[in-house]
Structures are given as structure tokens and as C-alpha cells.
């Protein structure tokens, strides 16, 4: 028996890191997209496993389900070190494609899957003498063979080769030749296509394929960031690296070549956030990109920026903690650490993009929110969004949009006699005016400090001054609720007592799970939370339902805790659905856990099922 | 900036600088430090230097960490913008501020605890990056604010007020600054205004990372016998290598110096540093020699002061980054945002 499906399967490449497989795999994924078939690629790159394995998974999904599916239908097993485990992970009736030149490591043979042996090394060795060429073209030959096995349009691959080597034209022909070598071998030796195959479609539309980190970096460019300070850490480094790349392209004075930005690779995360706070205090839009360990180090200055009211933007690409945890695995585990970062009473603004398109929008917007609210703003991505290419709607920019610099008093304002009190709430939104240092010789100067201060920035240990300031910060948090991206509600269309709250990278899996659950006869209303502090709509949504599942990717139900804490919700009504093993959350997982609970509810009294 | 500087009017007899400001325009709130604290003398020297240099007070950003020393920005240049940051992080905050607006003058004020302990890393990295700033450490060998614990600049063998002997080796911040590539390195003494004021002036005029280690006795916790940072000890062991006159612009040198006794350094802004040699062999343009000299004299128990090293041709972080002349905080959508057409192109490349 063999699996059969059109435009609906998961293929996984098991490779050795550094073998040049990444670009070949990416070409494979892109060719599927060019055939109009939605697909969702994911990198799995363990940080410390022998044999330097990396896996690249492509979920081919006519239905457009971009979350991870789980399971592998076709395994392309190119890493001897992980071979046995890779073979074991293939779904029954699935396919194993392997290099048949040499015998693979001994292991338990499987009789319930289809074996496709291609003598890749032998083909390479016959064709090429240079060892580097042998290595590189092996990957391409493999893709060529797959194109026949899966009925992929070879011209899409050829076009992609042409695009990739536009500037190194002499590499185009050899690559195309390698593709055809593989394709010809497969056509001559196997019945092509196999049961799982591709068929041209029109479901991709105008969507683009981009990594969340690159999109966030573009958001920083479009949002007007001029200062970036960072310290390398997986999975966030490519935010700063992409920002550097895009600034190189878009941010130089065409006449002089001078840079309209400054990027510092700082000595650590404390220095990174210090530079961001210093630059933002001085009127530049500044950000840092980091991950959990960096967030831990930055705490003291988050509290400073909160209390002294300095706009700053922090992009946190979350990975599995605590401590070094699983540095190359995804999680949504920094919510609470960011929401209440630093000692003392603090609350911070969080933005929770679901994909690369929102990573772009929210990052660009973060600079407006930070300037408007004069406070740190955290953009919480995670490894799943940040380091994987994902199909998303095209990035958009409205050219009439202006940067909202917030309440800044200018030299002219001061000259005209406007009263300046740095921490004075003049119009009821709890946001005071600030000046940029150096604005006016005699007016608008003030002292910025982390010690308590009165409404005119004077040092004060008067309890009343302190309490007034702390209360105003709370009111400012209220103001934030009306400014930040609202939650997105999607009702089932018929009445239900059950709702689901989710956020960030859980979105695609959740949407797919909702479809599965509908098919199982369960009706659910959905709400995707996009920011903290929570908009009133979140409380209304919970009020509209008896029970709300809160689906998230951490052990401690962090979003649920935030909801309970901030909205005073009875915890019994919020049912945690938690996935935190470091792999991407799947619709299979969500639908089975929620489905089982709901099935149980149908036959057992409510109290019992919930306890 | 679109306004004109309007000098304030004071009692007509108060001397004014070339901008029409009096000393008072550079003063600020009354100090709350202990009477006689060395840090207050440094504040006075900063006021004097700023007055003499005729800098516009509001064009100065004074940034500090935490400590008695870091509190002093409240006590000088009241019309400047101040930023009292967190312990040990002044250098990063200053670096960020400097990147945002290259046109202001940046004064970093720190203590020996702030810079040699908790902030040692940031001290080092700001200097090696060449941030254009005047970085002053008010060095008393103790944590004044937390009541007298040894700091990392306390000499080995020196005694605390309570009689404890320090067994750790001392960090010499000036020696470190030399090694780290600071382009202006000086050491002075809070009790020697004649030496300190011109050094601060020259440091402010310097483009690049200027570091001044100012020994500043803590009257409350580190001025006893057995301390190597007490007033008496520093006076007795001070070895000044030169005396500095600074000429702004190309003013004729009015003082007559003995031939061979003078070194001149012209800085980027045209300021001429005229150094009267007190030690005939000392050459402040030779970094390696300076490092050697410092080590040798320290080993002999001497405290070397003066302008230890200066590179008149120094460059700064903005120079390394080749940033635009216009401060980054003044750039707007037209300069910063590539716009929707560019984004459409980017989108097209991602399909
Ligand atoms: C993170 C942190 N740890 C500890 C302190 C407590 N603290 C305040 S000032 C200080 C030492 C200051 O010493 P120094 O920089 O030499 O300043 P001085 O008071 O001697 O001028 C310490 C440890 C603090 N403010 N923050
Ligand atoms: S404790 Fe020492 S350093 Fe602090 S103010 Fe008093 S004398 Fe100065
Ligand atoms: Mg001290």
C-alpha cells in the first residue's frame, strides 16, 4: 500500500548541516509555491546533536493550512547519523527516499513503507570529479529526482535556478544539468509520479514567502528606526542582520553615501537596551532584538524606561526556556517576563503578531506606539514565525502615513509660552509631554531619573507625588488599550457556550483545528489576542461564553494567567490547552485535546469534566 | 535648531564669557553631598571649564550611573539635560544618546564602583568604540553611597576606615583606557583645580573618546591614614607629567615657555593644547610609552597625573559608521521610509 494524495502531504529532508542542502531545499519549496500550491516550510535545527542534523520539512497543502501538521509522508533521508530515527518516523504506507549507493546503517527494516533508493553518490561521482561539486550537485540531483516522483513542473525549478544565479551565469547550466540527471534517473527507474503528487493550482494568489525576522526588520526600516543595538542570540540574530542588510540598501544618502542609521553590535543585552533607551530619550527611534536570556538581562532598564517614560522597542523572538533551555526550539514562554518585566510595579505593552505580515506591521507600528505612549513596547515573535519562511499576504505601506512621534514639545511651542511639566498629564490621556534634549536654551530642560519624581520631574520622595505618578502610569495603560491592535474575533455562526483564545504562531494550527472540530460536531467561537494590555473585547468574549479554552505554547499557561490577573476572570472558566515540547503546535494536537474535552462534556456532568 | 541663543542678564559686574553667559548660568542645585567631598570640587571644575569654553549649557547632555559621583550632574549645568541612569550603565545610555544626536556635547559622569565594578564592561566598550564624549570617573576607591565598601580601584594593601585590608589588585582605569584605545586619557586630582579645569576643557574639545580619571577623596569613608585615596596621600604621591594650557581657535600663545619644554597638539576643532612639560621625557602622543610609564610609576607608588595621552587626529563612532551629518533624531519619513513602491518590489521578489 502507498499513500495517495494530491497537493496534500508532508515531505521531510534529513540533512547534514553545512552540506549545501538549505538552498536546494528552499528551491524545492519555492517551486511548489510557483505552481500555485500553498505550502509551509519549517526548519528544524537542533543546537547540539551529534552529526549536525538539520531537517527541512515542507507541508504541501492545497487547503492552505500553514501550521505544522505532524508526521512525515515522504522522508528524504540524507543523514546517516539520524537515518534509523528518520526511517522510524515515516507514516505507514509513506515513502523513504535514500541514497542507495552504499548500504545504509543497519537498523530495523520497515516493510510497511515504500522504499525508493537513488544512487545519488554514484551518479555524482560519475559526473563530477571535484569533491565540492559532488557535494553541492548531489542536493540538486535529488531535487531533480523528486520533480519526477512528485510530478513537479521542472520549468519552475529551471526558472528558480536562473534567478538564483543571475549574477553567476556560468552556474546556471550545470545546475539545470544536475536537475535533469536526477529527473532522468527517476523517470527511468520508477513509476512516476508516486501516490503523493503535485498538481498546478491557483491557491497562492498574491501571497509572498518571507521569514518573520526579515519582515520585522523591514518593519523597523519602514517604521523609521535609526538606532539598533543588539547582541547575537538564536533565534533573533537575523532580525538585526536583516535590518543591516535593508539599511544598506535603503538608508544611505544617495548623494553622499552616508548612513541614515547606526547599528551597534553591543557587548551584551544590558548595553543593547541601554543604547536603545539613550537613543530614544534623545528622540531617535531605536530598537533591540533578542530572545529570552536577553530579556532576563535587560530587566533593570525596562523598569527604568517604564518609570522615566522613555519609548523603546524590543523585539523578542522567543525560544524554549528556562535558562538556555532548547535554544533552537520554539515556545511562547516570555509573555509574563515581558508583561511585568523589572522590579517594582510595572506593566508593559506587548504586541503578538501571528505571522510575518503582522511582524512587519506591528514592528513598524511599535515605534508609533512607543513614541505615543512613551513606554517600552515588546514585539513578541517566536522561532516558528521568526526563522521560517511562511506564506503571508503582501507587505503593505500607506505612503500618506506619518510617524506618530507622540507628545513632543518643540522650541516653537516653548517659545510661544506653553507650560512644560515633563510628567504632567495635561489633557487626561495620562501621557505627558516630553522635549528632546537641546531643544531650547532656557525652557523645556528636565532631569531624567529612575528615582521618584513629581509631575515636573523634580526628585521627590513625597508619598503623594509617588502615588500620583504610579496611578498616572496605570491610566496610561488604559489609554494604550484603545490604541493597540484589537483582538480579532471569529464567531462560529451558530450559538455556542465555548470559545477559544489564542495568539501568535498558534494561529494557523488553531484555524485548522477549528475546521477539524467543526467536522467532529463541535462549535467554537474564536478570538485571537493581538496585544497586551487587553482590549475590552477580550473580557466581552469571555463573558459571552461559559468556558474558554486558552491555547498557547508554554507550560504555565502564561496568557491565561495574564487574563485571570488583569481581567479578574474566574480561572475555572479558562481551560488551558498547552503545547510546549519545543515543536510547532499542530492542529492535530489542538483538535484532539479540545475535541476530547468537548466529547467528554457531552456525556459527563460539567463539573466533573472540568476538574 | 531654529532659535537664537539669548544670554540671560545678571548683575553687570559678573564676568561673562564670549556667549554672554556668566558662571552662574552653568551652576545648578546646591549639592547634597558631604561637605568637603572631592566630587563637589569636580563639579566646580566642570562649571569653570564650561564657562571658560563658552559652551551653550542646553547643548550638553550630562549622563551618569548611580553613586554619590553619579548624583553630581544635579549640581552643575542646571540648564543642561540630565540623565541619571542605572548603576554601571551610563556608557551604553550615553552611546545611544550620542548616536541619536551627534551635535550635543556628552558628559559622562561615573564613579569607581560604577565604572570599575558593575560597569567595567560598558566602560571598556564605550572607550573602544570611540564614542565622542568626556567620560569622567570620580575615583575615591570606595562605594561612597553604600557607605564605604572597597571598590575595584582600591589599592592592594590599603586599609578601609574600619581597618580591613584590601587583598585584591587594583584596576587602574587610566591604564585600561590607554589599552582600550581611548584617544584622550588624563588623570587628575579633585584638589588641583589648576590642573583639572584645562584637562576638562581639552577633553570636551576633543573629538572622540576622552577619559579622565579624577582622584576624588571620600571624606566620609576613605580619608583616613592607610587609605591611598586620601587627600594627604594623593598630595604626597602626586606626580604630574605636564601642565596644560588650552587655546581655542588659533589664538596666539601669550605665555612664554622655555624652549624644549613645550608640546603642542592641535585637535580637530582647531583647539591647540599646549603642554608644559614637567617631566622632560614624557611624550603624551606616544600611547605605548604612556602605558609603560604609568606601570613603572605605579609600581613605585606614585600617582601619575596630567594629560597622559592625546591623539589630535582621532575619529569617533559616527566617523566609523559614516553617519549623515544631520542628527538621526531629526530624520523623518522622506529620509527614512523607502515607501510603498519599494515595498511592492520587495514583495515581487518574494513570490
Ligand atoms: C544594580 C545595583 N546594585 C547595587 C546598587 C547599590 N549601589 C548604589 S551606588 C553603589 C556604589 C557606588 O560606588 P561609586 O560608583 O564608586 O560611587 P561613589 O558613591 O563612591 O561616588 C552601589 C553598589 C544599585 N544602585 N544598583
Ligand atoms: S559619602 Fe563620600 S563620596 Fe559620598 S558624598 Fe560623602 S564624601 Fe562624597
Ligand atoms: Mg566611589
Amino acid at each position: 500500500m502507498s499513500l495517495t494524495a494530491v497537493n496534500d502531504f508532508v515531505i521531510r529532508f534529513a540533512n547534514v548541516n553545512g552540506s549545501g542542502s538549505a538552498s536546494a531545499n528552499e528551491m524545492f519549496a519555492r517551486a511548489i509555491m510557483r505552481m500555485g500550491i500553498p505550502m509551509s516550510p519549517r526548519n528544524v535545527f537542533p543546537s547540539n546533536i551529534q552529526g549536525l542534523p538539520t531537517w527541512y520539512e515542507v507541508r504541501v497543502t492545497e487547503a492552505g493550512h500553514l501550521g505544522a501538521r505532524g508526521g512525515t509522508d515522504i522522508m528524504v533521508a540524507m543523514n546517516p547519523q539520524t537515518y534509523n530515527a528518520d526511517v522510524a518516523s515515516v507514516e505507514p504506507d509513506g515513502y523513504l527516499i535514500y541514497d542507495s549507493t552504499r548500504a545504509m546503517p543497519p537498523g530495523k527494516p520497515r516493510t510497511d513503507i515504500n522504499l525508493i533508493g537513488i544512487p545519488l553518490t554514484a551518479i555524482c561521482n560519475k559526473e563530477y570529479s571535484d569533491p565540492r561539486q559532488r557535494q553541492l550537485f548531489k542536493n540538486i540531483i535529488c531535487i531533480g529526482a523528486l520533480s519526477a516522483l512528485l510530478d513537479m513542473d521542472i520549468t519552475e525549478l529551471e526558472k528558480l535556478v536562473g534567478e538564483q544565479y543571475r549574477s553567476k551565469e556560468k552556474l546556471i547550466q550545470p545546475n539545470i544539468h544536475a536537475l535533469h540527471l536526477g529527473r532522468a534517473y527517476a523517470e527511468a527507474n520508477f513509476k512516476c509520479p508516486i501516490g503523493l503528487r503535485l498538481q498546478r493550482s491557483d491557491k497562492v494568489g498574491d501571497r509572498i514567502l518571507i521569514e518573520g525576522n526579515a519582515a520585522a526588520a523591514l518593519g523597523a526600516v519602514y517604521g523609521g528606526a535609526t538606532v539598533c543595538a543588539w547582541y547575537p542570540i538564536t533565534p533573533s540574530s537575523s532580525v538585526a542582520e536583516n535590518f543591516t542588510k535593508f539599511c544598506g540598501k535603503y538608508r544611505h544618502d544617495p548623494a553622499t553615501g552616508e548612513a541614515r542609521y547606526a547599528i551597534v553590535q553591543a557587548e551584551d543585552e544590558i548595553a543593547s537596551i541601554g543604547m536603545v533607551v539613550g537613543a530614544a530619550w534623545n528622540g531617535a527611534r531605536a530598537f533591540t532584538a533578542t530572545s529570552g536570556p536577553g530579556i532576563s538581562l535587560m530587566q533593570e532598564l525596562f523598569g527604568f524606561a517604564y518609570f522615566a517614560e522613555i519609548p523603546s522597542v524590543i523585539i523578542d523572538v522567543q525560544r524554549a526556556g528556562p535558562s538556555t533551555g532548547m535554544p533552537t526550539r520554539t515556545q511562547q514562554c516570555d509573555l509574563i517576563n515581558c508583561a511585568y518585566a523589572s522590579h517594582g510595579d510595572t506593566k508593559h505593552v506587548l504586541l503578538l503578531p501571528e505571522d510575518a505580515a503582522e511582524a512587519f506591521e506591528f514592528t513598524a507600528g511599535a515605534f508609533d506606539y512607543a513614541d505615543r505612549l512613551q513606554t517600552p513596547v515588546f514585539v513578541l515573535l517566536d522561532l516558528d514565525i521568526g526563522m521560517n519562511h511562511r506564506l503571508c499576504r503582501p507587505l503593505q505601506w500607506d505612503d500618506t502615513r506619518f510617524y506618530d512621534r507622540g507628545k513632543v514639545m518643540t522650541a516653537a511651542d516653548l517659545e510661544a509660552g506653553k507650560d512644560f511639566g515633563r510628567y504632567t498629564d495635561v489633557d487626561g490621556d495620562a501621557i505627558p509631554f516630553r522635549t528632546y534634549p537641546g531643544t531650547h536654551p532656557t525652557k523645556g530642560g528636565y532631569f531624567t531619573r529612575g528615582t521618584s519624581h513629581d509631575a515636573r520631574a523634580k526628585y521627590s520622595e513625597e508619598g503623594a507625588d509617588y502615588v500620583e505618578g504610579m496611578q498616572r502610569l496605570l491610566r496610561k495603560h488604559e489609554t494604550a488599550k484603545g490604541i493597540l491592535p484589537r483582538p480579532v474575533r471569529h464567531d462560529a455562526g451558530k450559538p455556542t457556550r465555548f470559545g477559544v483564545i489564542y495568539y501568535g504562531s498558534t494561529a494557523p494550527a488553531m484555524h485548522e483545528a477549528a475546521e477539524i472540530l467543526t467536522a467532529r460536531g463541535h462549535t467554537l467561537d474564536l478570538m485571537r489576542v493581538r496585544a497586551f494590555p487587553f482590549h475590552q473585547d477580550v473580557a466581552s468574549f469571555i463573558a459571552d461564553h461559559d468556558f474558554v479554552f486558552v491555547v498557547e505554547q508554554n507550560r504555565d499557561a502564561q496568557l491565561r494567567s495574564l487574563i485571570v490577573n488583569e481581567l479578574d476572570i474566574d480561572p475555572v472558566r479558562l481551560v488551558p490547552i498547552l503545547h510546549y515540547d519545543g515543536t510547532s503546535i499542530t492542529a492535530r494536537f489542538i483538535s484532539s485535546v479540545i475535541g476530547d474535552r468537548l466529547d467528554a462534556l457531552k456525556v459527563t456532568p460539567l463539573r466533573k469534566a472540568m476538574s | 535648531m531654529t532659535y537664537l541663543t539669548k544670554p540671560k542678564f545678571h548683575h553687570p559686574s559678573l564676568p561673562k564669557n564670549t556667549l554672554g553667559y556668566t558662571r552662574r548660568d552653568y551652576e545648578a542645585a546646591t549639592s547634597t553631598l558631604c561637605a568637603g567631598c572631592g566630587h563637589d570640587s569636580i563639579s566646580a571644575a566642570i562649571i569653570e571649564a564650561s564657562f571658560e569654553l563658552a559652551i551653550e549649557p542646553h547643548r550638553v547632555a550630562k549622563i551618569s550611573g548611580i553613586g554619590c559621583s553619579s548624583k553630581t550632574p544635579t549640581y552643575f549645568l542646571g540648564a543642561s539635560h540630565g540623565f541619571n541612569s542605572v548603576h554601571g550603565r551610563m556608557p551604553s545610555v550615553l552611546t545611544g544618546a550620542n548616536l541619536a544626536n551627534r551635535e550635543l556635547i556628552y558628559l559622562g559622569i561615573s564613579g569607581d564602583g560604577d565604572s570599575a565594578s558593575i560597569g567595567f564592561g560598558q566602560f571598556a566598550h564605550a572607550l573602544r568604540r570611540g564614542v565622542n564624549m568626556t567620560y569622567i570617573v570620580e575615583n575615591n576607591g570606595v562605594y561612597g553611597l553604600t557607605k564605604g565598601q572597597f571598590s575595584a580601584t582600591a589599592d592592594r594593601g590599603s586599609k578601609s576606615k574600619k581597618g580591613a585590608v584590601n587583598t585584591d589588585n587594583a584596576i587602574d582605569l587610566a591604564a585600561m583606557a590607554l589599552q582600550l584605545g581611548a584617544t584622550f586619557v588624563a588623570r587628575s586630582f579633585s584638589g588641583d583645580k589648576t590642573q583639572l579645569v584645562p584637562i576638562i576643557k581639552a577633553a570636551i574639545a576633543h573629538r572622540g573618546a576622552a577619559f579622565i580619571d579624577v582622584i576624588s577623596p571620600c571624606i566620609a569613608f576613605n580619608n583616613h591614614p592607610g587609605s591611598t585615596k586620601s587627600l594627604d596621600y594623593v598630595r604626597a604621591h602626586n606626580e604630574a607629567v605636564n601642565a596644560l594650557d588650552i587655546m581655542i581657535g588659533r589664538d596666539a600663545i601669550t605665555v612664554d615657555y622655555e624652549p624644549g619644554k613645550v608640546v603642542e597638539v592641535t585637535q580637530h576643532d582647531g583647539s591647540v593644547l599646549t603642554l608644559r612639560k614637567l617631566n622632560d621625557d614624557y611624550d603624551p602622543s606616544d600611547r605605548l610609552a604612556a602605558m609603560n610609564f604609568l606601570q613603572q610609576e605605579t609600581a613605585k607608588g606614585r600617582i601619575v597625573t596630567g594629560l597622559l595621552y592625546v591623539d589630535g587626529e582621532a575619529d569617533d563612532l559616527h566617523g566609523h559608521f559614516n553617519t549623515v551629518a544631520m542628527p538621526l533624531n531629526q530624520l523623518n519619513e522622506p529620509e527614512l521610509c523607502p515607501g510603498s513602491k519599494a515595498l511592492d518590489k520587495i514583495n515581487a521578489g518574494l513570490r
Side-chain angles (χ1 to χ4, degrees):
Chain A
M1 285 275 286
S2 30
L3 292 175
T4 55
V6 178
N7 294 351
D8 184 15
F9 57 87
V10 173
I11 178 169
R12 200 176 234 251
F13 297 84
N15 298 110
V16 181
N17 197 3
S19 61
S21 56
S23 71
N25 295 344
E26 225 180 283
M27 189 191 298
F28 172 81
R30 240 170 238 284
I32 298 174
M33 174 180 74
R34 295 277 181 94
M35 288 176 70
I37 310 163
M39 52 86 224
S40 187
R42 278 183 172 74
N43 288 298
V44 181
F45 52 107
S47 69
N48 195 17
I49 291 184
Q50 214 202 350
L52 299 172
T54 65
W55 289 274
Y56 186 77
E57 172 187 300
V58 182
R59 179 177 185 185
V60 180
T61 166
E62 172 90 16
H65 297 312
L66 303 180
R69 190 200 70 179
T72 301
D73 301 325
I74 305 171
M75 176 65 75
V76 184
M78 294 298 156
N79 187 348
Q81 302 253 21
T82 60
Y83 183 78
N84 286 329
D86 290 335
V87 172
S89 71
V90 180
E91 297 274 310
D93 302 326
Y95 299 83
L96 175 73
I97 296 170
Y98 63 102
D99 185 348
S100 58
T101 309
R102 267 176 238 112
M104 271 297 174
K108 209 163 139 214
R110 279 187 67 174
T111 51
D112 63 336
I113 56 174
N114 303 286
L115 305 180
I116 301 176
I118 306 173
L120 289 168
T121 306
I123 299 174
C124 271
N125 290 356
K126 195 172 142 218
E127 193 74 18
Y128 309 102
S129 51
D130 173 8
R132 231 182 73 81
Q133 284 192 334
R134 283 178 175 172
Q135 175 63 272
L136 289 177
F137 286 125
K138 191 156 117 183
N139 299 308
I140 302 292
I141 292 168
C142 180
I143 302 296
L146 281 170
S147 75
L149 294 167
L150 301 174
D151 204 11
M152 177 184 267
D153 187 345
I154 185 84
T155 58
E156 295 295 0
L157 286 170
E158 289 172 348
K159 269 193 256 169
L160 284 163
V161 166
E163 290 168 25
Q164 187 172 343
Y165 299 109
R166 204 173 301 151
S167 53
K168 299 179 215 154
E169 214 167 309
K170 52 178 212 292
L171 289 176
I172 295 177
Q173 265 324 307
N175 272 283
I176 290 180
H177 176 68
L179 279 176
H180 282 278
L181 273 179
R183 190 173 172 91
Y185 183 89
E187 278 170 344
N189 292 282
F190 309 105
K191 188 178 160 293
C192 294
I194 59 173
L196 299 175
R197 56 189 193 85
L198 302 165
Q199 192 176 72
R200 190 166 279 281
S201 180
D202 57 1
K203 298 289 191 316
V204 170
D206 67 349
R207 280 185 284 183
I208 59 168
L209 190 68
I210 185 171
E211 287 169 333
N213 284 352
L218 262 178
V221 172
Y222 274 75
T226 50
V227 175
C228 166
W230 68 293
Y231 189 75
I233 184 169
T234 304
S236 77
S237 296
S238 57
V239 176
E241 285 158 358
N242 274 295
F243 184 72
T244 308
K245 185 184 89 184
F246 291 128
C247 281
K249 197 157 176 202
Y250 299 108
R251 283 285 193 77
H252 283 264
D253 184 314
T256 63
E258 290 163 339
R260 292 166 170 162
Y261 62 93
I263 300 167
V264 185
Q265 186 190 312
E267 57 270 32
D268 57 30
E269 286 87 348
I270 303 176
S272 304
I273 190 66
M275 289 176 201
V276 168
V277 167
W281 170 74
N282 217 355
R285 294 195 145 186
F287 78 101
T288 185
T290 187
S291 189
I295 295 292
S296 292
L297 280 180
M298 295 177 184
Q299 296 281 318
E300 189 181 15
L301 277 153
F302 290 153
F304 186 99
Y306 173 76
F307 196 44
E309 300 180 62
I310 300 172
S312 28
V313 173
I314 303 100
I315 299 173
D316 174 13
V317 189
Q318 299 166 92
R319 66 188 215 185
S323 189
T324 306
M326 293 195 285
T328 59
R329 307 290 181 157
T330 197
Q331 255 185 15
Q332 298 175 315
C333 52
D334 295 343
L335 243 71
I336 288 186
N337 201 21
C338 291
Y340 301 131
S342 207
H343 55 278
D345 292 325
T346 60
K347 284 181 207 272
H348 302 289
V349 170
L350 313 181
L351 300 174
L352 306 168
E354 67 165 342
D355 67 357
E358 278 192 352
F360 171 78
E361 285 160 21
F362 288 11
T363 303
F367 295 94
D368 282 355
Y369 303 136
D371 272 352
R372 169 60 44 190
L373 295 164
Q374 297 180 21
T375 199
V377 172
F378 294 78
V379 184
L380 293 189
L381 300 179
D382 60 23
L383 185 144
D384 189 60
I385 298 175
M387 288 191 73
N388 288 313
H389 282 94
R390 189 67 39 79
L391 273 184
C392 64
R393 62 183 187 281
L395 309 180
Q396 276 179 331
W397 189 260
D398 174 0
D399 288 326
T400 64
R401 171 171 170 176
F402 282 96
Y403 298 152
D404 178 6
R405 300 274 183 168
K407 289 179 169 176
V408 179
M409 226 176 247
T410 62
D413 293 336
L414 293 162
E415 201 53 49
K418 267 201 191 168
D419 180 48
F420 176 72
R422 173 65 184 98
Y423 298 112
T424 309
D425 179 9
V426 284
D427 50 16
D429 64 2
I431 304 167
F433 272 90
R434 63 177 184 141
T435 53
Y436 296 158
T439 294
H440 192 281
T442 55
K443 300 179 174 121
Y446 67 96
F447 210 99
T448 301
R449 48 164 58 88
T451 40
S452 63
H453 37 260
D454 67 12
R456 303 192 76 86
K458 282 252 159 2
Y459 178 80
S460 168
E461 288 179 33
E462 285 299 323
D465 287 335
Y466 172 79
V467 170
E468 185 193 307
M470 292 297 281
Q471 284 296 325
R472 186 177 53 73
L473 288 175
L474 267 188
R475 294 203 309 277
K476 192 165 84 166
H477 218 56
E478 287 302 312
T479 302
K481 294 178 182 174
I483 293 175
L484 302 172
R486 299 204 170 179
V488 180
R489 180 169 176 161
H490 184 81
D491 281 349
K494 51 180 175 176
T496 171
R497 296 160 52 216
F498 301 103
V500 183
I501 285 178
Y502 61 103
Y503 60 100
S505 66
T506 303
M510 186 61 234
H511 298 157
E512 184 185 355
E515 286 179 23
I516 299 171
L517 286 164
T518 307
R520 257 171 93 167
H522 300 300
T523 313
L524 288 166
D525 293 338
L526 308 183
M527 173 164 276
R528 182 164 68 85
V529 172
R530 301 199 297 168
F532 177 80
F534 303 120
H535 189 266
Q536 169 60 32
D537 287 358
V538 178
S540 309
F541 180 80
I542 297 168
D544 290 348
H545 300 90
D546 292 345
F547 293 97
V548 174
F549 297 100
V550 184
V551 185
E552 50 187 322
Q553 301 175 53
N554 56 67
R555 185 193 69 179
D556 291 346
Q558 298 192 19
L559 185 78
R560 177 177 172 273
S561 300
L562 277 181
I563 294 173
V564 167
N565 198 34
E566 296 289 326
L567 302 180
D568 262 334
I569 304 283
D570 178 358
V572 167
R573 297 183 44 221
L574 299 180
V575 184
I577 304 293
L578 305 170
H579 178 96
Y580 57 93
D581 67 1
T583 62
S584 305
I585 194 168
T586 62
R588 283 181 182 176
F589 167 81
I590 300 172
S591 59
S592 84
V593 180
I594 294 183
D596 291 351
R597 297 252 187 163
L598 291 174
D599 287 344
L601 279 181
K602 279 185 176 162
V603 291
T604 34
L606 198 95
R607 281 271 149 237
K608 234 176 170 174
M610 284 300 161
S611 54
Chain B
M1 298 279 121
T2 53
Y3 53 83
L4 292 169
T5 48
K6 274 189 268 159
K8 278 199 267 177
F9 286 101
H10 285 297
H11 194 276
S13 66
L14 286 177
K16 290 178 183 150
N17 63 21
T18 51
L19 273 185
Y21 288 109
T22 68
R23 275 185 184 74
R24 230 172 251 156
D25 294 312
Y26 297 91
E27 290 170 359
T30 312
S31 170
T32 59
L33 301 184
C34 305
C37 174
H39 299 349
D40 279 336
S41 311
I42 300 171
S43 296
I46 292 171
I47 291 170
E48 182 62 27
S50 305
F51 169 76
E52 288 177 16
L53 274 181
I55 56 182
E56 297 172 89
H58 73 291
R59 304 298 288 166
V60 178
K62 37 180 193 173
I63 303 178
S64 64
I66 296 286
C68 295
S69 36
S70 290
K71 285 205 300 194
T72 62
T74 318
Y75 315 134
F76 60 79
L77 302 187
S80 305
H81 278 252
F83 192 127
N84 198 177
S85 73
V86 297
H87 198 18
R89 315 304 172 200
M90 174 279 284
S92 63
V93 172
L94 189 151
T95 301
N98 180 297
L99 290 175
N101 184 356
R102 60 190 300 175
E103 284 183 349
L104 301 185
I105 292 167
Y106 292 91
L107 266 185
I109 305 294
S110 182
D112 44 319
D114 205 55
S115 278
S117 295
I118 192 168
F120 197 38
Q122 295 212 346
F123 152 84
H125 290 277
L127 292 182
R128 62 179 271 275
R129 287 191 186 101
V131 179
N132 186 11
M133 63 180 169
T134 298
Y135 188 141
I136 297 176
V137 167
E138 309 189 344
N139 185 355
N140 53 17
V142 286
Y143 293 178
L145 194 64
T146 53
K147 308 220 174 298
Q149 301 84 356
F150 281 125
S151 84
T153 64
D155 287 311
R156 185 151 79 163
S158 64
K159 266 202 193 114
S160 79
K161 201 175 174 183
K162 287 179 182 158
V165 176
N166 177 33
T167 54
D168 297 344
N169 290 317
I171 291 174
D172 181 338
L173 289 173
M176 290 302 311
L178 284 169
Q179 195 280 325
L180 291 162
T183 44
F184 181 112
V185 180
R187 177 147 50 215
S188 188
F189 173 41
S190 61
D192 187 353
K193 214 172 164 183
T194 4
Q195 184 191 44
L196 181 55
V197 171
I199 285 180
I200 295 175
K201 285 166 70 179
I204 292 175
H206 181 74
R207 183 175 86 189
F211 177 75
I212 314 174
D213 178 19
V214 189
I215 314 289
S216 174
C218 170
I219 299 307
F221 300 109
N222 206 12
N223 200 34
H224 48 271
S227 159
T228 56
K229 297 277 193 294
S230 67
L231 276 165
D232 290 345
Y233 187 93
V234 178
R235 283 213 181 95
H237 295 79
N238 190 346
E239 182 191 350
V241 289
N242 46 35
L244 172 64
D245 286 313
I246 169 167
M247 314 287 164
I248 300 297
R250 301 269 171 190
D251 314 343
I253 295 170
T254 47
V255 197
D256 283 331
Y257 295 108
E258 242 180 275
K261 283 279 188 189
V262 163
V263 191
E264 262 187 22
V265 182
T266 308
Q267 302 205 101
H268 265 294
D269 66 337
S271 60
V272 180
L273 309 182
T274 308
L275 291 156
R276 193 157 32 88
K277 288 185 175 182
L278 301 177
N279 176 323
D280 284 350
D281 301 327
Y282 196 81
D283 175 5
S285 64
D286 184 339
R287 187 187 290 275
L288 274 181
M291 289 166 77
N292 262 329
F293 185 79
L294 220 57
Q295 303 278 327
Q296 279 162 8
E297 298 305 293
T298 305
K300 291 180 204 154
R302 291 184 192 139
I303 303 168
V304 178
T305 60
L307 177 46
L308 304 176
Y309 174 74
V310 60
D311 172 3
E313 296 302 307
D315 204 352
D316 80 331
L317 188 57
H318 281 284
H320 306 159
F321 285 165
N322 191 28
T323 35
V324 285
M326 166 98 77
L328 295 181
N329 70 352
Q330 286 173 34
L331 302 178
N332 274 309
E333 294 84 355
E335 299 87 26
L336 300 179
C337 186
S340 65
K341 282 224 179 69
L343 199 54
D344 290 344
K345 257 202 191 148
I346 293 171
N347 283 324
L350 298 167
R351 291 196 175 104

